[in-house]
Structure formats: structure tokens, C-alpha cells
Amino acid sequence: NLPEVKLLIRIANLDMKKVNYKKLLKQISLMFSILLPITVIAIEFVKSIFLKILLGAFLLTLLTYLGFCIIKTYYKKRGMIKDV
């Protein structure tokens, strides 16, 4: 498993017996294909390289977490979350 998938499984508490793994990979890929350009566009407006690195790391972390929350909500509505 990829680190992103492991993190999402842990955050969302996904039941991998019910989840289509290929569909999950496509959703994660789509999420990152949207997040990375947003981050790059946002840091282009900053002049300092140090601030670019800080802003990029912060935005990437924040947007990744928000993207994982959206994917978690998707799977929760479809009943693919483990009952704890």
C-alpha cells in the first residue's frame, strides 16, 4: 500500500473488504491533481523562498487533510466505514 492510502485508511477507518481499491487510488490521484496546482499557484505570489516553502508545506498539509475528509465523507455515506 502507498503511504497516502495507509494514512487515509487510518484517518477514515475504511473497511477495505468493502472498498474498491482501484477506485480509492483514482480518488486519491484526482485529489492530489487538484491540490498540487492550487498550492503552486498560491506560492507563486510570494517573493521569499523561505516563505514559499513554509506556505507550500502548510497549504499542502491543510488541503490534503481536507481532501481526505471529503473522501471519508464519501465512504461514510456509502457505509464503507468500519464500525468501532
Side-chain angles (χ1 to χ4, degrees), residues 1 6 11 16 26 34-35 39-42 50 68 70-71 76-77 84:
N1 286 346
K6 289 180 183 179
I11 288 174
M16 289 309 293
K26 287 179 183 179
I34 294 170
L35 298 183
T39 304
V40 170
I41 290 170
F50 180 71
F68 281 170
I70 292 169
I71 293 173
K76 189 174 185 179
K77 286 184 178 179
V84 179

Side-chain angles (χ1 to χ4, degrees), residues 26-60:
K26 287 179 183 179
Q27 289 172 337
I28 292 172
S29 298
L30 177 65
M31 179 191 72
F32 278 116
S33 70
I34 294 170
L35 298 183
L36 290 176
I38 291 172
T39 304
V40 170
I41 290 170
I43 65 172
E44 284 299 313
F45 295 108
V46 179
K47 303 248 188 227
S48 168
I49 189 73
F50 180 71
L51 289 177
K52 281 185 178 189
I53 293 171
L54 284 177
L55 180 64
F58 175 74
L59 276 177
L60 199 56

Side-chain angles (χ1 to χ4, degrees), residues 62-80:
L62 178 69
L63 293 174
T64 300
Y65 181 74
L66 290 174
F68 281 170
C69 287
I70 292 169
I71 293 173
K72 176 183 177 180
T73 304
Y74 171 82
Y75 282 109
K76 189 174 185 179
K77 286 184 178 179
R78 280 150 184 78
M80 296 183 188

